[in-house]
Amino acid sequence: MPTTQTSSSAPILQATGIHKSFGDHHVLKGVSLAVQPGEVVTLIGASGSGKSTFLRCMNLLEMPEDGQLEVSGHRFAFTGGARPPKDEKLAGLRANIGMVFQHFNLFPHMTVLQNIIEGSVQVQGKSVDEAKALAMTLLGKVGLAEKAQQHPARLSGGQKQRVAIARALAMQPAVMLFDEPTSALDPELVGEVLSVIRELAAEGMTMVLVTHEMAFAANVSDRIGFMRDGVMAEIGPAEAIMNRPQDAKLVSFLERFHQAKQG
Amino acid sequence: MDNASYAWDFGSLVPYLPLIWRGLGVTLAFTVSTVLVGLVLGLITGVLRNPTMTRWVSVPLQIWTEIFRCTPLLVQLVWAYYALPVLIGVDMSATTACFLALSFYAGAFYSEIFRGGIEAVDRGQWEAGRAIGMRRGKIFRRIILPQAFPLMIPSLINQTIMQLKNTSLVSAVAVGDLLYQGSVITGASYRPLEVYTTIAVIYFAVLFPLTLIATRVERRLGASK
């Protein structure tokens, strides 16, 4: 596993003081995170702690009310009441960030191959042949080359998620975001998806994950951030967070995991 | 008169056949033209009412749509014929008034079908499109509409069948459609049973094949899921 500690190089993704509310519910209360190139950061915490919302703020699927975001040169500043950024500017940011959803969100009317080349062709303007060549390489990498001509409905959940990962990688993104990528999967299908993610980490892909798979998080992450009630309650090297947690809520959160491991 | 012994005489209608055909022609012309215009209106307003649109566009369109959905078509036809010309100071033939009312009426219902079909597509599909850097229009064309359209087809066919039947209301303002010709022929022949039975059979003969097609399409779409 890569063990990049907080190096001094410029972060590839920097979110600063992010605030987000849904109606009266203040979900994010000034959360910050800087991710170095090649780093793997996992966000953990109870449901409702804001970790998924924070992740979705990183590619602006959720629009923060306040705070700054910078991802590989794309800079956004949010202040209360300001107009949301232009669609074009948002698209420019998102083309640089891969996102993998809990529910896959594959395009059901397209084949696996069409799903993967859609962004390369329609957004990046690559030729279909070039996009297909890249897509087949990526499909090989996630072990699904023989499914290229199938429609997503014919795939298992694990296969769908691997296709979704390939689709995100096809944009050759600077950062990959994973929003609970295995939460919708049958237990026996979780492993195949996690091993693809682990492989990506080993190749040095910069990633931010939200997951409930604690053993996996401990194993694959450089750093782990614990979110509680819309704040980053504690963040540090994976080993330290798992074995020497400080925050009382984190201690009890991890206790359940440690017990489950022994039991 | 003893019902059982009523002597049917369809032969007496033969001289009036040209009138019936003319009436059917008017009915079909109204159906085809108002369906086409209605589809265009419905598509535009339905698409403009999609979830990403600002309220300043979607709310007025919704009000407009509800006006046509929540008043009887007969009232709209009569209003367009008697009230609208006074209001805008333009003389309007009954045909024009009926064409306008029927088109807007169809447009309102088609709009609902288009909007509903678009909204029935999972929100995650928009997000997946945005996540790979697609702009709104492209997501709409390449991701949302291709999924929404199959969902809409059965309802669109249904609404079109209703539209053909609804055209019979234009007879109320003396436009010479199939039903109106029926009343004319009845007045001349004193054979209401034969006349209105024939009219009903003609409507059925035109619409029944359409419902068969609708069922077929529905089944095919269901099978491809």
Side-chain angles (χ1 to χ4, degrees):
Chain A
M1 291 302 102
T3 49
T4 357
Q5 295 281 315
T6 40
S7 68
S8 56
S9 64
I12 201 160
L13 181 152
Q14 184 152 26
T16 315
I18 300 291
H19 283 264
K20 175 71 187 174
S21 301
F22 294 112
D24 291 337
H25 186 37
H26 201 172
V27 181
L28 298 177
K29 303 166 184 166
V31 189
S32 301
L33 178 69
V35 182
Q36 303 298 325
E39 199 182 18
V40 178
V41 178
T42 301
L43 303 177
I44 61 171
S47 14
S49 58
K51 55 194 189 310
S52 273
T53 304
F54 185 42
L55 190 81
R56 289 163 57 83
C57 282
M58 292 178 199
N59 68 348
L60 300 181
L61 282 183
E62 300 294 351
M63 222 50 78
E65 277 111 38
D66 207 89
Q68 288 101 49
L69 178 74
E70 187 175 346
V71 183
S72 55
H74 296 261
R75 207 172 297 187
F76 295 84
F78 300 91
T79 47
R83 280 168 163 269
K86 287 235 155 59
D87 196 34
E88 188 178 0
K89 201 163 175 249
L90 291 170
L93 167 82
R94 291 172 184 147
N96 279 285
I97 305 175
M99 175 104 179
V100 175
F101 300 90
Q102 182 177 351
H103 295 288
F104 331 124
N105 297 352
L106 292 177
F107 306 132
H109 57 303
M110 298 182 184
T111 64
V112 163
L113 188 63
Q114 287 167 338
N115 263 276
I116 299 176
I117 68 171
E118 181 70 9
S120 316
V121 175
Q122 295 296 328
V123 176
Q124 294 176 328
K126 283 190 181 146
S127 74
V128 171
D129 286 341
E130 192 188 349
K132 276 186 178 166
L134 171 63
M136 288 313 296
T137 310
L138 291 169
L139 269 179
K141 198 164 151 177
V142 300
L144 291 171
E146 79 281 6
K147 301 287 187 191
Q149 301 306 329
Q150 301 261 319
H151 276 81
R154 309 290 288 276
L155 305 181
S156 74
Q159 291 171 334
K160 282 181 195 167
Q161 197 59 300
R162 281 144 69 197
V163 171
I165 293 172
R167 178 177 67 180
L169 289 173
M171 297 299 288
Q172 297 169 310
V175 187
M176 285 283 285
L177 308 177
F178 293 84
D179 188 7
E180 304 200 26
T182 59
S183 296
L185 297 178
D186 292 334
E188 72 271 20
L189 302 177
V190 169
E192 62 189 70
V193 172
L194 293 186
S195 76
V196 168
I197 300 173
R198 188 176 289 123
E199 217 170 287
L200 281 177
E203 287 171 14
M205 173 62 78
T206 311
M207 306 198 283
V208 183
L209 294 104
V210 168
T211 184
H212 293 285
E213 298 285 337
M214 294 301 301
F216 176 73
N219 177 257
V220 79
S221 313
D222 298 306
R223 281 191 297 154
I224 294 179
F226 174 65
M227 288 189 64
R228 167 168 55 74
D229 299 330
V231 297
M232 189 72 78
E234 191 169 339
I235 184 163
E239 189 271 333
I241 293 289
M242 294 303 289
N243 298 320
R244 295 181 300 281
Q246 306 297 313
D247 183 273
K249 286 276 170 49
L250 174 58
V251 171
S252 66
F253 183 84
L254 288 173
E255 240 157 39
R256 261 174 290 151
F257 160 67
H258 287 306
Q259 275 164 10
K261 202 166 60 171
Q262 285 157 10
Chain B
M1 188 173 60
D2 183 355
N3 286 336
S5 68
Y6 180 75
W8 293 87
D9 178 16
F10 285 99
S12 62
L13 297 188
V14 172
Y16 302 107
L17 275 178
L19 271 185
I20 291 180
W21 296 141
R22 196 191 303 164
L24 179 61
V26 170
T27 292
L28 292 178
F30 262 113
T31 306
V32 171
S33 60
T34 62
V35 161
L36 288 178
V37 175
L39 279 172
V40 171
L41 288 173
L43 182 64
I44 294 169
T45 57
V47 165
L48 286 177
R49 288 163 68 205
N50 81 67
T52 68
M53 191 54 70
T54 156
R55 271 158 198 249
W56 295 104
V57 175
S58 63
V59 169
L61 282 176
Q62 188 183 350
I63 293 170
W64 172 257
T65 305
E66 294 305 341
I67 288 172
F68 286 95
R69 294 206 321 147
C70 300
T71 52
L73 177 57
L74 185 53
V75 173
Q76 291 170 28
L77 288 168
V78 172
W79 193 89
Y81 183 49
Y82 292 107
L84 187 60
V86 178
L87 214 61
I88 60 175
V90 176
D91 239 3
M92 205 182 280
S93 70
T95 306
T96 309
C98 286
F99 171 77
L100 287 177
L102 279 169
S103 296
F104 283 121
Y105 179 83
F109 279 89
Y110 286 135
S111 174
E112 246 345 80
I113 293 168
F114 284 118
R115 186 195 58 78
I118 289 162
E119 269 175 27
V121 176
D122 182 37
R123 208 174 57 106
Q125 294 292 309
W126 285 96
E127 295 197 339
R130 281 148 76 192
I132 55 171
M134 291 174 94
R135 311 254 318 252
R136 202 163 58 183
K138 209 162 232 181
I139 298 173
F140 202 76
R141 281 197 311 278
R142 298 198 46 90
I143 311 293
I144 305 301
L145 272 188
Q147 294 182 60
F149 202 60
L151 304 173
M152 300 168 184
I153 291 200
S155 309
L156 289 175
I157 295 179
N158 250 328
Q159 191 58 46
T160 303
I161 289 170
M162 303 234 288
Q163 182 72 1
L164 192 147
K165 292 193 283 186
N166 282 334
T167 58
S168 64
L169 292 171
V170 303
S171 59
V173 289
V175 171
D177 77 321
L178 185 56
L179 181 60
Y180 182 81
Q181 300 298 4
S183 62
V184 169
I185 298 166
T186 302
S189 69
Y190 301 107
R191 285 275 170 193
L193 261 71
E194 284 83 351
V195 172
Y196 289 120
T197 305
T198 306
I199 301 282
V201 168
I202 292 175
Y203 274 113
F204 184 86
V206 173
L207 286 174
F208 184 61
L210 252 178
T211 65
L212 288 183
I213 293 171
T215 317
R216 257 230 169 116
V217 170
E218 220 165 314
R219 223 176 270 151
R220 170 141 2 129
L221 291 171
S224 73
K225 278 265 166 66

